Amino acid sequence: MSGLPGARTCPGPGEASDLKSPLGAKFREPLTETRFQQLFGDAEQEPELLAEPRWSRLWRRRASACSGPGAWRLLLARLPPLRWLPHYRWRAWLLGDAVAGLTVGIVHVPQGMAFALLTSVPPVFGLYTSFFPVLIYTLLGTGRHLSTGTFAVLSLMTGSAVERLVPEPLSGNLSGIEREQLDAQRVGAAAAVAFGSGALMLGMFALQLGVLATFLSEPVVKALTSGAALHVLVSQLPSLLGVPLPRQIGCFALFKTLAAVLTALPSSSPAELTISALSLALLVPVKELNVRFRDRLPTPIPGEIAMVLLASVLCFTSSLDTRYNVQIVGLLPGGFPQPLLPSLAELPRILADSLPMALVTFAVSASLASIYADKYSYTIDSNQELLAHGVSNLVSSLFSCFPNSATLATTSLLVDAGGNTQLAGLFSCMVVLSVLLWLGPLFYYLPKAVLACINISSMRQMFFQMRELPQLWRISRVDFAVWTVTWVAVVTLSVDLGLAVGVVFSMMTVVCRTQRVQCLALGLAEGTELYRPLRESHKLLQVPGLCILSYPAPLYFGTRGQFRRVLEWHLGLGEGSKEAPKTGGPPDAAAEPVRVVVLDCGGVTFADAAGAREVVQLASRCQDAGIHLLLAQCNASVLGTLTQAGLLDRVTPEQLFVSVQDAAAHALERLELSGPKTCTVWV
């Protein structure tokens, strides 16, 4: 073999180069990391800044933020309307925002009251939760198309916490005063949970932990919402059938509720069963029409509000509440509750419930905001979203609201109705405000069975997420396993425990995949300057005595053992060369003893202390065995960790290269296979 792999022979005098590159070819010697920094690095730029202590730079940065321009930039970042409102296109967007906001507000009214029943609090508190959080997010949120308010999954999780903190008395027969006292205690518990989750999100914002949303992967979130939808369906069966049953909480609550419903089925109320059947017969087709003809309808058909008004009129005219003992909503207090700080004594008890709710709130809201931001070509600030939802939950808890977040159903409705900006939230608040101030008495005779039907029909999109499983199976079996394990855990255990199981299992799949990564032996693709895995093609050039290895995984305490065994096998070092299974390369790849090894670190995204010490030990063993070790493509973080671990005590800076091609060229020169004077091409 003549010439350097990854290199071109320099043309002599009078010779024309055979290189044809539109950018032109530039010949140079192989570049080490040190030489690259000398030529292109910025090590000598701003030496005073680099020498300045870290605390001094941080103080100077904060001082600049306290200046006039810095304070204005901070204000713009924390109050998004100051950025988008001056550029608001009033003629083009105002009508769409108004129609979308009014449409979503109409849906908020029955849905808020329905989700309040999931939370085990009176229906009016669902209206409060549909007003204050929406108003606050309009001022602080960055998602232009995001609709916030009551969310079924959070309501279900909050209801389980409320039932555990304030259980129903065993007697079950409560007087009017006792029922009011029990409701007040439950409202306080729900508000305390909202306060705790809001405080946790604000703490995450202060620590800039918006990246934590990535730990709730898409399969985990979809399996969580789909499994929670089944919990919602089963929990509403007693209301659908008119069977007064205590709410089951804890593990296996779904199966306990099913068993209780089947046992009490003979004593169900025919009147409430009829109301439920008629309500579902109207709501389900209307939702299907809205989905199928969303492009043709100017605004979605408000099936929920029509059903609420129709059922209220029917119950009033037929006196169903007195003649057939149909459970109704009753009086909705007008106005707003007095601001009240939740009992701080409850915070330690509800902390375990607030943490999963904070994670679910942020994960669902951030993912929804990102979907529509990508669709309509704008960006969101994940940390600002943490601030918006944290303040929303914290402040609204002072007005007896329960935890809230963005919802898929109302967000999709807002987009379909023509919403463009957060201004639609103000119109939505106007609808809820009118109900709280003036229209509340119209819902006095509303049967609670209708609210249960609204809860079930709103789960439609969550149930249909299961249709994505066949495609998920084809794309990634690992993601399919994460989805299945999370869904089974949510259904069999509970929503919060299922979330914990899903997150842990998802993280374990990542760890297991890093454990099974393959270290690949590379060869030069014939006629190119590219190094490819040897097993991919037979038209790859190999050099006796030269071994080029690529390790495409992080190097940390969990992978250091595998890294050591694989390198021992490839280099013939120690007993690992006999015991470790083969991970790449042809059978005769190690026929001749290795004299030079090039380790491609381009896939090593990070290294910890244990991994760095493993590389240092490898360099020491190679030095003892007479093997020349070259490292290529180490990023700055990995190179810094290796240097701190003492790598430069075992290798020289001339053994660190910026690319595999440069390292291979140097290796061939060392093996004395270069023949005439050669050099690499930088294109």
Side-chain angles (χ1 to χ4, degrees):
M1 180 192 308
S2 64
L4 292 177
R8 298 290 188 183
T9 303
C10 294
E15 296 179 0
S17 173
D18 59 347
L19 295 174
K20 298 179 179 179
S21 172
L23 299 178
K26 180 180 179 181
F27 298 99
R28 60 162 178 79
E29 294 295 332
L31 278 180
T32 63
E33 289 282 352
T34 305
R35 182 59 178 163
F36 182 84
Q37 290 296 331
Q38 291 175 353
L39 293 176
F40 308 106
D42 54 356
E44 297 182 358
Q45 295 179 4
E46 300 184 2
E48 292 125 359
L49 181 62
L50 294 178
E52 187 179 4
R54 183 177 180 182
W55 65 267
S56 178
R57 295 199 304 270
L58 182 60
W59 174 264
R60 187 160 47 81
R61 197 173 302 166
R62 289 183 177 179
S64 64
C66 294
S67 63
W72 177 245
R73 287 194 299 269
L74 181 63
L75 191 62
L76 288 177
R78 298 296 167 251
L79 288 177
L82 295 179
R83 297 199 307 267
W84 58 263
L85 197 57
H87 307 285
Y88 189 83
R89 297 163 58 184
W90 295 95
R91 292 184 178 180
W93 291 349
L94 183 59
L95 180 60
D97 283 340
V99 172
L102 295 176
T103 304
V104 172
I106 291 173
V107 175
H108 269 317
V109 173
Q111 189 170 278
M113 292 190 292
F115 288 166
L117 297 184
L118 280 179
T119 317
S120 299
V121 297
V124 69
F125 293 94
L127 297 179
Y128 300 151
T129 311
S130 299
F131 177 79
F132 290 104
V134 177
L135 183 62
I136 295 172
Y137 186 82
T138 301
L139 300 176
L140 298 177
T142 58
R144 298 181 186 175
H145 299 84
L146 209 63
S147 174
T148 59
T150 55
F151 182 37
V153 176
L154 283 179
S155 298
L156 183 68
M157 297 172 68
T158 307
S160 299
V162 168
E163 292 281 350
R164 190 187 73 253
L165 295 172
V166 188
E168 185 88 15
L170 296 178
S171 61
N173 296 322
L174 301 177
S175 64
I177 297 178
E178 291 175 336
R179 172 58 62 182
E180 290 181 1
Q181 293 176 348
L182 180 67
D183 288 341
Q185 293 177 2
R186 290 185 167 181
V187 168
V193 172
F195 185 91
S197 61
L200 286 174
M201 281 187 280
L202 287 181
M204 293 165 61
F205 163 74
L207 298 175
Q208 299 291 288
L209 296 181
V211 71
L212 285 181
T214 57
F215 288 100
L216 292 179
S217 62
E218 183 177 349
V220 171
V221 173
K222 289 190 174 181
L224 172 72
T225 54
S226 182
L230 190 59
H231 276 279
V232 172
L233 172 62
V234 174
S235 67
Q236 297 304 292
L237 290 179
S239 298
L240 289 178
L241 303 175
V243 179
L245 293 175
R247 183 168 180 171
Q248 302 291 336
I249 60 175
C251 297
F252 311 108
L254 185 144
F255 305 103
K256 294 177 184 177
T257 304
L258 280 177
V261 168
L262 292 176
T263 303
L265 193 59
S267 60
S268 59
S269 170
E272 294 196 81
L273 186 59
T274 303
I275 292 174
S276 302
L278 292 176
S279 300
L280 290 176
L282 175 64
L283 289 173
V284 173
V286 167
K287 284 188 173 292
E288 190 66 26
L289 288 174
N290 285 334
V291 172
R292 292 195 176 186
F293 300 99
R294 64 174 63 185
D295 297 330
R296 301 182 185 180
L297 294 172
T299 59
I301 303 173
E304 289 89 348
I305 197 66
M307 187 68 248
V308 164
L309 296 176
L310 182 62
S312 299
V313 172
L314 180 63
C315 183
F316 172 72
T317 56
S318 304
S319 301
L320 297 180
D321 57 325
T322 56
R323 295 172 59 184
Y324 299 101
N325 198 27
V326 172
Q327 298 294 317
I328 60 175
V329 170
L331 180 64
L332 294 179
F336 297 102
Q338 292 292 329
L340 180 65
L341 183 68
S343 176
L344 298 181
E346 296 289 337
L347 291 182
R349 299 175 59 192
I350 56 90
L351 187 61
D353 300 294
S354 299
L355 180 58
M357 291 184 196
L359 293 177
V360 170
T361 297
F362 178 57
V364 172
S365 302
S367 60
L368 271 178
S370 298
I371 290 173
Y372 288 100
D374 294 340
K375 183 177 180 180
Y376 292 97
S377 302
Y378 62 90
T379 59
I380 63 166
D381 184 347
S382 58
N383 286 303
Q384 179 66 20
E385 289 294 300
L386 268 177
L387 176 66
H389 291 288
V391 173
S392 176
N393 279 272
L394 190 66
V395 174
S396 62
S397 69
L398 305 179
F399 296 91
S400 303
C401 297
F402 49 85
N404 61 87
S405 75
T407 62
L408 177 61
T410 54
T411 299
S412 176
L413 181 63
L414 186 143
V415 174
D416 293 339
N420 299 290
T421 66
Q422 297 95 316
L423 195 64
L426 295 181
F427 293 97
S428 176
C429 290
M430 291 170 57
V431 176
V432 180
L433 181 63
S434 63
V435 174
L436 287 172
L437 296 181
W438 304 296
L439 304 180
L442 296 179
F443 301 96
Y444 183 92
Y445 290 98
L446 174 63
K448 291 186 177 180
V450 175
L451 296 180
C453 294
I454 293 175
N455 274 332
I456 293 175
S457 63
S458 65
M459 298 291 102
R460 177 184 177 278
Q461 289 175 297
M462 297 184 186
F463 283 126
F464 285 171
Q465 290 179 143
M466 300 186 72
R467 296 187 300 184
E468 302 176 7
L469 285 179
Q471 183 183 11
L472 193 62
W473 172 266
R474 292 190 298 268
I475 296 174
S476 172
R477 305 289 173 87
V478 175
D479 285 346
F480 180 87
V482 171
W483 199 104
T484 305
V485 169
T486 305
W487 188 87
V488 171
V490 169
V491 171
T492 57
L493 300 178
S494 61
V495 176
D496 49 355
L497 289 179
L499 173 63
V501 171
V503 171
V504 171
F505 184 77
S506 178
M507 293 297 100
M508 288 303 298
T509 60
V510 176
V511 174
C512 291
R513 278 184 280 185
T514 60
Q515 293 291 313
R516 301 183 55 166
V517 69
Q518 293 183 340
C519 183
L520 302 176
L522 305 182
L524 179 65
E526 187 175 358
T528 71
E529 298 176 2
L530 302 177
Y531 286 85
R532 309 293 297 173
L534 291 175
R535 63 182 185 179
E536 290 187 1
S537 174
H538 296 291
K539 296 182 178 180
L540 294 174
L541 303 179
Q542 297 176 255
V543 180
L546 173 61
C547 182
I548 304 177
L549 301 176
S550 174
Y551 190 77
L555 189 53
Y556 64 105
F557 66 93
T559 58
R560 59 175 296 187
Q562 184 211 31
F563 175 80
R564 180 176 61 253
R565 290 190 297 270
V566 169
L567 268 294
E568 284 178 349
W569 184 88
H570 276 286
L571 303 181
L573 299 174
E575 297 180 357
S577 60
K578 301 177 182 179
E579 298 177 357
K582 201 166 199 177
T583 57
D588 59 346
E592 181 174 329
V594 177
R595 288 185 284 161
V596 181
V597 58
V598 176
L599 182 58
D600 178 13
C601 300
V604 181
T605 54
F606 71 90
D608 66 357
R613 284 195 293 267
E614 197 64 47
V615 176
V616 174
Q617 293 175 9
L618 171 67
S620 179
R621 297 180 65 184
C622 288
Q623 189 177 31
D624 296 339
I627 299 175
H628 192 58
L629 175 65
L630 305 177
L631 300 180
Q633 297 194 109
C634 292
N635 64 48
S637 175
V638 172
L639 189 58
T641 305
L642 295 178
T643 303
Q644 293 295 327
L647 179 66
L648 295 183
D649 296 336
R650 297 290 182 268
V651 301
T652 64
E654 285 71 24
Q655 292 174 251
L656 307 176
F657 290 85
V658 296
S659 69
V660 177
Q661 287 82 359
D662 289 328
H666 176 80
L668 288 177
E669 289 180 352
R670 185 175 182 85
L671 290 172
E672 298 180 351
L673 293 178
S674 59
K677 180 62 178 176
T678 56
C679 55
T680 59
V681 179
W682 186 266
V683 294

